[in-house]
Short mmCIF file of all heavy atoms in Angstrom, two decimals:
data_model
loop_
_atom_site.label_atom_id
_atom_site.label_comp_id
_atom_site.label_asym_id
_atom_site.label_seq_id
_atom_site.Cartn_x
_atom_site.Cartn_y
_atom_site.Cartn_z
N ASP A 1126 -8.89 0.41 9.82
CA ASP A 1126 -9.81 0.30 10.89
C ASP A 1126 -10.91 -0.68 10.52
O ASP A 1126 -11.37 -0.63 9.36
CB ASP A 1126 -10.39 1.71 11.22
CG ASP A 1126 -11.09 1.78 12.56
OD1 ASP A 1126 -12.05 0.95 12.83
OD2 ASP A 1126 -10.78 2.66 13.37
N ASP A 1128 -13.86 -0.60 11.64
CA ASP A 1128 -15.21 0.01 11.62
C ASP A 1128 -15.46 0.85 10.49
O ASP A 1128 -16.48 1.59 10.37
CB ASP A 1128 -15.27 0.89 12.92
CG ASP A 1128 -15.55 0.08 14.19
OD1 ASP A 1128 -15.99 -1.08 14.03
OD2 ASP A 1128 -15.33 0.59 15.25
N VAL A 1130 -17.03 1.82 6.89
CA VAL A 1130 -18.34 1.47 6.30
C VAL A 1130 -18.36 1.98 4.91
O VAL A 1130 -18.06 3.11 4.63
CB VAL A 1130 -19.46 2.05 7.15
CG1 VAL A 1130 -20.76 1.88 6.41
CG2 VAL A 1130 -19.56 1.49 8.49
N GLY A 1135 -27.07 1.19 -4.25
CA GLY A 1135 -27.96 0.01 -4.40
C GLY A 1135 -27.32 -1.24 -3.67
O GLY A 1135 -27.98 -2.30 -3.73
N ALA A 1137 -25.40 -3.53 -0.46
CA ALA A 1137 -25.47 -3.78 1.02
C ALA A 1137 -24.36 -3.03 1.67
O ALA A 1137 -23.38 -2.60 1.04
CB ALA A 1137 -25.34 -5.26 1.28
N ARG A 1138 -24.45 -2.88 2.98
CA ARG A 1138 -23.43 -2.18 3.72
C ARG A 1138 -22.23 -3.14 3.89
O ARG A 1138 -22.41 -4.31 4.27
CB ARG A 1138 -23.98 -1.84 5.12
CG ARG A 1138 -22.96 -1.01 5.91
CD ARG A 1138 -23.45 -0.58 7.26
NE ARG A 1138 -23.54 -1.76 8.19
CZ ARG A 1138 -23.83 -1.60 9.47
NH1 ARG A 1138 -24.12 -0.44 9.97
NH2 ARG A 1138 -23.83 -2.69 10.26
N GLN A 1144 -13.79 -6.42 3.35
CA GLN A 1144 -15.04 -6.26 2.53
C GLN A 1144 -14.92 -5.07 1.63
O GLN A 1144 -15.33 -5.08 0.48
CB GLN A 1144 -16.23 -6.16 3.39
CG GLN A 1144 -16.67 -7.42 4.11
CD GLN A 1144 -18.01 -7.32 4.79
OE1 GLN A 1144 -18.64 -6.26 4.81
NE2 GLN A 1144 -18.44 -8.41 5.42
N GLN A 1165 -21.93 20.43 -5.55
CA GLN A 1165 -22.85 20.75 -4.49
C GLN A 1165 -22.38 20.13 -3.15
O GLN A 1165 -23.19 19.50 -2.42
CB GLN A 1165 -24.29 20.26 -4.84
CG GLN A 1165 -24.83 20.93 -6.08
CD GLN A 1165 -26.27 20.57 -6.34
OE1 GLN A 1165 -27.08 20.46 -5.40
NE2 GLN A 1165 -26.64 20.36 -7.57
N VAL A 1167 -21.63 19.92 0.63
CA VAL A 1167 -21.93 20.48 1.96
C VAL A 1167 -20.96 19.84 2.90
O VAL A 1167 -20.84 18.59 2.92
CB VAL A 1167 -23.39 20.16 2.34
CG1 VAL A 1167 -23.68 20.69 3.78
CG2 VAL A 1167 -24.42 20.86 1.41
N ALA A 1171 -15.18 19.05 12.14
CA ALA A 1171 -14.84 19.23 13.52
C ALA A 1171 -13.37 18.90 13.70
O ALA A 1171 -12.63 18.62 12.71
CB ALA A 1171 -15.67 18.38 14.40
N MET A 1172 -12.88 18.83 14.90
CA MET A 1172 -11.40 18.68 15.06
C MET A 1172 -11.00 17.27 14.56
O MET A 1172 -9.86 17.22 13.95
CB MET A 1172 -11.11 18.70 16.53
CG MET A 1172 -9.75 19.39 16.85
SD MET A 1172 -9.68 20.00 18.56
CE MET A 1172 -10.05 18.51 19.52
N MET A 1173 -11.74 16.26 14.79
CA MET A 1173 -11.30 14.91 14.43
C MET A 1173 -12.12 14.26 13.32
O MET A 1173 -11.71 13.28 12.82
CB MET A 1173 -11.48 13.99 15.72
CG MET A 1173 -10.68 14.43 16.94
SD MET A 1173 -8.93 14.29 16.68
CE MET A 1173 -8.70 12.53 16.76
N LEU A 1174 -13.29 14.72 13.05
CA LEU A 1174 -14.14 14.20 12.04
C LEU A 1174 -14.63 15.22 11.05
O LEU A 1174 -14.83 16.43 11.45
CB LEU A 1174 -15.39 13.57 12.67
CG LEU A 1174 -15.28 12.25 13.36
CD1 LEU A 1174 -16.56 11.86 14.11
CD2 LEU A 1174 -14.93 11.12 12.37
N VAL A 1176 -17.45 15.65 7.67
CA VAL A 1176 -18.52 15.02 6.91
C VAL A 1176 -18.75 15.87 5.65
O VAL A 1176 -19.01 17.03 5.76
CB VAL A 1176 -19.81 14.95 7.78
CG1 VAL A 1176 -20.93 14.33 6.98
CG2 VAL A 1176 -19.58 14.22 9.07
N SER A 1178 -21.07 15.98 2.18
CA SER A 1178 -22.24 15.46 1.37
C SER A 1178 -22.01 15.97 -0.04
O SER A 1178 -21.87 17.20 -0.22
CB SER A 1178 -23.54 15.92 1.95
OG SER A 1178 -24.60 15.69 0.98
N VAL A 1179 -21.92 15.10 -0.99
CA VAL A 1179 -21.69 15.59 -2.38
C VAL A 1179 -22.61 14.88 -3.37
O VAL A 1179 -23.16 13.82 -3.10
CB VAL A 1179 -20.18 15.29 -2.79
CG1 VAL A 1179 -19.19 16.07 -1.89
CG2 VAL A 1179 -19.92 13.76 -2.82
N VAL A 1196 -25.83 10.53 -4.82
CA VAL A 1196 -25.53 11.32 -3.63
C VAL A 1196 -24.68 10.53 -2.70
O VAL A 1196 -24.90 9.33 -2.56
CB VAL A 1196 -26.85 11.84 -2.98
CG1 VAL A 1196 -27.79 10.65 -2.52
CG2 VAL A 1196 -26.55 12.68 -1.74
N THR A 1198 -22.50 10.46 1.02
CA THR A 1198 -22.06 11.01 2.35
C THR A 1198 -20.67 10.44 2.64
O THR A 1198 -20.54 9.15 2.74
CB THR A 1198 -23.07 10.64 3.53
OG1 THR A 1198 -24.36 11.12 3.14
CG2 THR A 1198 -22.57 11.13 4.83
N VAL A 1200 -17.32 10.45 5.16
CA VAL A 1200 -16.93 10.86 6.49
C VAL A 1200 -15.43 10.56 6.64
O VAL A 1200 -14.97 9.43 6.26
CB VAL A 1200 -17.72 10.14 7.63
CG1 VAL A 1200 -17.25 10.56 9.04
CG2 VAL A 1200 -19.20 10.27 7.44
N LEU A 1202 -11.81 10.81 9.11
CA LEU A 1202 -11.31 10.82 10.48
C LEU A 1202 -9.86 11.29 10.44
O LEU A 1202 -9.06 10.86 9.62
CB LEU A 1202 -11.35 9.35 10.99
CG LEU A 1202 -10.75 9.03 12.32
CD1 LEU A 1202 -11.48 9.70 13.48
CD2 LEU A 1202 -10.66 7.50 12.52
N HIS A 1214 -21.03 6.46 1.80
CA HIS A 1214 -22.41 5.93 1.64
C HIS A 1214 -22.90 6.62 0.37
O HIS A 1214 -23.21 7.84 0.37
CB HIS A 1214 -23.25 6.27 2.87
CG HIS A 1214 -24.68 5.69 2.79
ND1 HIS A 1214 -25.48 5.64 3.88
CD2 HIS A 1214 -25.40 5.20 1.74
CE1 HIS A 1214 -26.66 5.10 3.51
NE2 HIS A 1214 -26.62 4.92 2.25
N SER A 1216 -25.75 6.52 -2.95
CA SER A 1216 -27.03 6.02 -3.43
C SER A 1216 -27.54 6.82 -4.53
O SER A 1216 -27.20 8.00 -4.68
CB SER A 1216 -28.02 5.93 -2.30
OG SER A 1216 -28.32 7.21 -1.81
N ALA A 1219 -32.63 10.08 -6.88
CA ALA A 1219 -33.76 10.15 -7.78
C ALA A 1219 -34.19 11.59 -7.85
O ALA A 1219 -34.09 12.33 -6.95
CB ALA A 1219 -34.86 9.24 -7.28
N GLN A 1221 -34.87 15.47 -9.25
CA GLN A 1221 -34.00 16.57 -9.49
C GLN A 1221 -33.32 16.93 -8.16
O GLN A 1221 -33.95 17.01 -7.12
CB GLN A 1221 -34.71 17.88 -9.92
CG GLN A 1221 -35.22 17.71 -11.40
CD GLN A 1221 -34.03 17.50 -12.34
OE1 GLN A 1221 -33.07 18.24 -12.35
NE2 GLN A 1221 -34.10 16.41 -13.08
N ALA A 1223 -31.79 19.08 -5.28
CA ALA A 1223 -32.09 20.42 -4.77
C ALA A 1223 -30.99 21.37 -5.15
O ALA A 1223 -29.85 21.02 -5.20
CB ALA A 1223 -32.31 20.34 -3.29
N ARG A 1227 -26.16 28.05 -1.62
CA ARG A 1227 -25.06 29.01 -1.74
C ARG A 1227 -23.80 28.18 -1.82
O ARG A 1227 -23.85 26.93 -1.54
CB ARG A 1227 -24.97 29.91 -0.51
CG ARG A 1227 -24.92 29.16 0.73
CD ARG A 1227 -25.35 29.95 1.95
NE ARG A 1227 -25.70 29.16 3.08
CZ ARG A 1227 -24.83 28.54 3.90
NH1 ARG A 1227 -23.53 28.73 3.74
NH2 ARG A 1227 -25.22 27.82 4.92
N LYS A 1232 -17.83 24.32 7.23
CA LYS A 1232 -18.14 24.95 8.57
C LYS A 1232 -17.16 24.41 9.58
O LYS A 1232 -17.08 23.13 9.81
CB LYS A 1232 -19.57 24.59 8.95
CG LYS A 1232 -19.96 25.02 10.32
CD LYS A 1232 -21.42 24.78 10.52
CE LYS A 1232 -22.18 25.82 9.73
NZ LYS A 1232 -23.66 25.77 10.04
N LEU A 1234 -16.13 23.99 13.34
CA LEU A 1234 -16.78 23.99 14.65
C LEU A 1234 -15.91 24.58 15.69
O LEU A 1234 -16.35 25.16 16.67
CB LEU A 1234 -17.27 22.58 15.04
CG LEU A 1234 -18.20 22.03 13.98
CD1 LEU A 1234 -18.56 20.59 14.40
CD2 LEU A 1234 -19.45 22.78 13.86
N HIS A 1235 -14.64 24.35 15.57
CA HIS A 1235 -13.71 24.92 16.45
C HIS A 1235 -12.28 24.69 15.94
O HIS A 1235 -12.13 23.97 14.95
CB HIS A 1235 -13.81 24.29 17.92
CG HIS A 1235 -13.70 22.79 17.97
ND1 HIS A 1235 -14.80 22.05 18.02
CD2 HIS A 1235 -12.70 22.01 17.92
CE1 HIS A 1235 -14.39 20.80 18.01
NE2 HIS A 1235 -13.12 20.69 17.93
N ASP B 945 -30.01 24.50 11.54
CA ASP B 945 -28.81 24.81 10.71
C ASP B 945 -29.20 24.56 9.23
O ASP B 945 -29.92 23.61 8.90
CB ASP B 945 -27.71 23.83 11.10
CG ASP B 945 -26.33 24.29 10.57
OD1 ASP B 945 -26.21 24.49 9.31
OD2 ASP B 945 -25.40 24.39 11.37
N ASP B 947 -27.29 23.76 6.98
CA ASP B 947 -26.42 22.75 6.34
C ASP B 947 -26.81 21.33 6.64
O ASP B 947 -26.13 20.41 6.35
CB ASP B 947 -24.99 22.91 6.77
CG ASP B 947 -24.28 24.04 6.03
OD1 ASP B 947 -24.83 24.50 4.93
OD2 ASP B 947 -23.24 24.56 6.44
N VAL B 949 -28.58 17.84 6.16
CA VAL B 949 -28.78 17.02 4.89
C VAL B 949 -29.61 15.86 5.19
O VAL B 949 -29.37 15.08 6.15
CB VAL B 949 -27.35 16.58 4.35
CG1 VAL B 949 -27.51 15.58 3.19
CG2 VAL B 949 -26.59 17.75 3.86
N GLY B 954 -34.03 6.27 -1.92
CA GLY B 954 -34.36 6.51 -3.30
C GLY B 954 -34.65 7.91 -3.64
O GLY B 954 -35.01 8.24 -4.75
N ALA B 956 -33.98 12.30 -3.60
CA ALA B 956 -32.95 13.31 -3.87
C ALA B 956 -32.45 13.84 -2.49
O ALA B 956 -33.07 13.66 -1.50
CB ALA B 956 -33.56 14.49 -4.66
N ARG B 957 -31.28 14.48 -2.53
CA ARG B 957 -30.78 15.06 -1.35
C ARG B 957 -31.54 16.37 -1.01
O ARG B 957 -31.73 17.20 -1.82
CB ARG B 957 -29.25 15.43 -1.56
CG ARG B 957 -28.64 15.93 -0.27
CD ARG B 957 -27.21 16.31 -0.50
NE ARG B 957 -27.06 17.56 -1.24
CZ ARG B 957 -25.85 18.06 -1.45
NH1 ARG B 957 -24.76 17.56 -1.00
NH2 ARG B 957 -25.75 19.26 -2.10
N GLN B 963 -36.67 22.22 3.62
CA GLN B 963 -36.83 21.01 2.76
C GLN B 963 -36.97 19.77 3.66
O GLN B 963 -37.72 18.85 3.33
CB GLN B 963 -35.60 20.86 1.85
CG GLN B 963 -35.56 21.88 0.75
CD GLN B 963 -34.44 21.60 -0.24
OE1 GLN B 963 -33.74 20.63 -0.14
NE2 GLN B 963 -34.37 22.42 -1.31
N GLN B 984 -27.35 -3.66 14.10
CA GLN B 984 -25.97 -3.63 13.51
C GLN B 984 -25.35 -2.21 13.47
O GLN B 984 -24.89 -1.78 12.47
CB GLN B 984 -25.96 -4.26 12.11
CG GLN B 984 -26.44 -5.66 12.16
CD GLN B 984 -26.25 -6.37 10.75
OE1 GLN B 984 -25.27 -6.12 10.07
NE2 GLN B 984 -27.13 -7.19 10.39
N VAL B 986 -22.81 0.63 13.85
CA VAL B 986 -21.45 0.93 13.88
C VAL B 986 -21.36 2.40 14.22
O VAL B 986 -21.98 3.21 13.57
CB VAL B 986 -20.66 0.69 12.59
CG1 VAL B 986 -19.20 1.09 12.65
CG2 VAL B 986 -20.74 -0.77 12.19
N ALA B 990 -16.59 11.50 18.03
CA ALA B 990 -15.51 12.43 18.44
C ALA B 990 -16.13 13.47 19.34
O ALA B 990 -17.29 13.36 19.77
CB ALA B 990 -14.97 13.07 17.18
N MET B 991 -15.39 14.48 19.68
CA MET B 991 -15.87 15.45 20.66
C MET B 991 -17.16 16.18 20.21
O MET B 991 -18.02 16.35 21.03
CB MET B 991 -14.78 16.43 20.93
CG MET B 991 -14.70 16.93 22.35
SD MET B 991 -13.08 17.63 22.79
CE MET B 991 -12.97 18.92 21.52
N MET B 992 -17.16 16.53 18.95
CA MET B 992 -18.25 17.40 18.48
C MET B 992 -19.17 16.68 17.50
O MET B 992 -20.29 17.15 17.20
CB MET B 992 -17.64 18.65 17.73
CG MET B 992 -16.73 19.50 18.59
SD MET B 992 -17.68 20.21 19.96
CE MET B 992 -18.60 21.54 18.99
N LEU B 993 -18.71 15.60 16.90
CA LEU B 993 -19.51 14.94 15.91
C LEU B 993 -19.54 13.42 16.20
O LEU B 993 -18.62 12.84 16.76
CB LEU B 993 -18.79 15.05 14.51
CG LEU B 993 -19.02 16.30 13.77
CD1 LEU B 993 -18.14 16.32 12.52
CD2 LEU B 993 -20.44 16.58 13.35
N VAL B 995 -20.97 9.64 14.27
CA VAL B 995 -21.43 9.05 13.06
C VAL B 995 -21.89 7.65 13.45
O VAL B 995 -21.17 6.89 13.92
CB VAL B 995 -20.34 9.00 11.99
CG1 VAL B 995 -20.95 8.35 10.71
CG2 VAL B 995 -19.79 10.35 11.71
N SER B 997 -23.73 4.27 11.73
CA SER B 997 -24.25 3.58 10.57
C SER B 997 -25.15 2.41 11.13
O SER B 997 -24.75 1.66 11.99
CB SER B 997 -23.11 2.96 9.83
OG SER B 997 -23.54 1.98 8.90
N VAL B 998 -26.35 2.40 10.64
CA VAL B 998 -27.35 1.40 11.17
C VAL B 998 -28.16 0.71 10.05
O VAL B 998 -28.23 1.26 8.92
CB VAL B 998 -28.39 2.07 12.19
CG1 VAL B 998 -27.65 2.58 13.40
CG2 VAL B 998 -29.19 3.09 11.52
N HIS B 999 -28.68 -0.44 10.36
CA HIS B 999 -29.73 -1.00 9.53
C HIS B 999 -31.08 -0.71 10.19
O HIS B 999 -31.25 -0.89 11.38
CB HIS B 999 -29.50 -2.54 9.42
CG HIS B 999 -28.53 -2.90 8.40
ND1 HIS B 999 -27.30 -3.51 8.72
CD2 HIS B 999 -28.54 -2.80 7.03
CE1 HIS B 999 -26.63 -3.68 7.59
NE2 HIS B 999 -27.32 -3.27 6.59
N VAL B 1015 -30.26 0.85 4.86
CA VAL B 1015 -29.02 1.24 5.53
C VAL B 1015 -29.05 2.76 5.70
O VAL B 1015 -29.35 3.47 4.80
CB VAL B 1015 -27.79 0.71 4.84
CG1 VAL B 1015 -27.68 1.21 3.42
CG2 VAL B 1015 -26.50 1.08 5.58
N THR B 1017 -26.87 6.20 7.32
CA THR B 1017 -25.79 6.90 7.94
C THR B 1017 -26.30 8.12 8.62
O THR B 1017 -26.93 9.05 7.93
CB THR B 1017 -24.72 7.38 6.91
OG1 THR B 1017 -24.26 6.17 6.20
CG2 THR B 1017 -23.57 8.06 7.54
N VAL B 1019 -25.56 11.36 11.19
CA VAL B 1019 -24.47 12.13 11.76
C VAL B 1019 -25.06 13.20 12.77
O VAL B 1019 -26.03 13.80 12.46
CB VAL B 1019 -23.73 12.88 10.69
CG1 VAL B 1019 -22.52 13.69 11.29
CG2 VAL B 1019 -23.17 11.95 9.60
N LEU B 1021 -24.29 16.34 15.71
CA LEU B 1021 -23.41 17.46 16.10
C LEU B 1021 -23.71 17.85 17.45
O LEU B 1021 -24.89 17.95 17.88
CB LEU B 1021 -23.70 18.64 15.12
CG LEU B 1021 -23.07 19.93 15.35
CD1 LEU B 1021 -21.56 19.84 15.11
CD2 LEU B 1021 -23.63 21.04 14.44
N HIS B 1033 -28.83 9.83 5.95
CA HIS B 1033 -28.75 9.32 4.53
C HIS B 1033 -29.15 7.89 4.58
O HIS B 1033 -28.50 7.05 5.16
CB HIS B 1033 -27.27 9.50 4.07
CG HIS B 1033 -27.08 9.04 2.68
ND1 HIS B 1033 -26.04 9.38 1.94
CD2 HIS B 1033 -27.95 8.37 1.76
CE1 HIS B 1033 -26.11 8.87 0.70
NE2 HIS B 1033 -27.30 8.25 0.62
N SER B 1035 -30.79 4.47 2.44
CA SER B 1035 -31.03 3.91 1.11
C SER B 1035 -31.26 2.38 1.25
O SER B 1035 -30.82 1.82 2.24
CB SER B 1035 -29.76 4.13 0.19
OG SER B 1035 -28.58 3.49 0.76
N ALA B 1038 -29.64 -3.50 -0.70
CA ALA B 1038 -29.88 -4.67 -1.51
C ALA B 1038 -29.00 -5.82 -0.97
O ALA B 1038 -27.95 -5.66 -0.40
CB ALA B 1038 -29.54 -4.38 -2.96
N GLN B 1040 -27.94 -9.42 0.92
CA GLN B 1040 -27.88 -9.77 2.34
C GLN B 1040 -26.94 -8.79 3.05
O GLN B 1040 -25.80 -8.50 2.59
CB GLN B 1040 -27.29 -11.23 2.53
CG GLN B 1040 -28.34 -12.19 2.22
CD GLN B 1040 -29.62 -12.12 2.97
OE1 GLN B 1040 -29.58 -12.08 4.25
NE2 GLN B 1040 -30.75 -11.88 2.29
N ALA B 1042 -24.12 -7.51 5.43
CA ALA B 1042 -22.95 -8.25 6.01
C ALA B 1042 -23.14 -8.42 7.47
O ALA B 1042 -23.74 -7.66 8.21
CB ALA B 1042 -21.73 -7.39 5.81
N ARG B 1046 -18.80 -7.94 15.37
CA ARG B 1046 -18.93 -8.00 16.81
C ARG B 1046 -19.86 -6.88 17.29
O ARG B 1046 -20.28 -5.99 16.57
CB ARG B 1046 -17.51 -7.74 17.43
CG ARG B 1046 -16.91 -6.45 17.07
CD ARG B 1046 -15.39 -6.42 17.25
NE ARG B 1046 -14.84 -5.41 16.37
CZ ARG B 1046 -14.75 -4.15 16.63
NH1 ARG B 1046 -15.38 -3.70 17.69
NH2 ARG B 1046 -14.16 -3.26 15.86
N LYS B 1051 -16.78 3.96 19.38
CA LYS B 1051 -15.37 4.25 19.54
C LYS B 1051 -15.21 5.72 19.88
O LYS B 1051 -15.62 6.58 19.16
CB LYS B 1051 -14.71 3.91 18.08
CG LYS B 1051 -13.25 4.42 18.05
CD LYS B 1051 -12.62 3.94 16.74
CE LYS B 1051 -12.42 2.45 16.84
NZ LYS B 1051 -11.80 1.94 15.62
N LEU B 1053 -12.89 8.80 20.31
CA LEU B 1053 -11.61 9.25 19.85
C LEU B 1053 -10.81 10.03 20.81
O LEU B 1053 -9.59 10.02 20.79
CB LEU B 1053 -11.84 10.09 18.56
CG LEU B 1053 -12.55 9.38 17.45
CD1 LEU B 1053 -12.84 10.32 16.31
CD2 LEU B 1053 -11.78 8.13 16.95
N HIS B 1054 -11.52 10.73 21.71
CA HIS B 1054 -10.83 11.40 22.81
C HIS B 1054 -11.92 11.86 23.76
O HIS B 1054 -13.08 11.78 23.41
CB HIS B 1054 -9.99 12.58 22.34
CG HIS B 1054 -10.70 13.57 21.44
ND1 HIS B 1054 -10.62 13.48 20.09
CD2 HIS B 1054 -11.57 14.55 21.72
CE1 HIS B 1054 -11.36 14.50 19.59
NE2 HIS B 1054 -11.88 15.09 20.60
#
Side-chain angles (χ1 to χ4, degrees):
Chain A
D1126 194 306
D1128 281 342
V1130 169
R1138 185 180 75 173
Q1144 290 189 356
Q1165 300 186 40
V1167 176
M1172 215 160 58
M1173 301 293 286
L1174 281 174
V1176 181
S1178 167
V1179 297
V1196 58
T1198 301
V1200 183
L1202 171 69
H1214 183 165
S1216 62
Q1221 288 302 306
R1227 55 200 161 80
K1232 173 171 292 185
L1234 302 175
H1235 54 263
Chain B
D945 194 306
D947 281 342
V949 170
R957 184 180 76 174
Q963 290 189 357
Q984 300 187 39
V986 176
M991 214 160 57
M992 301 294 285
L993 282 173
V995 181
S997 168
V998 297
H999 279 112
V1015 58
T1017 301
V1019 183
L1021 172 68
H1033 184 166
S1035 61
Q1040 286 304 304
R1046 56 200 159 77
K1051 172 171 290 184
L1053 302 176
H1054 53 263

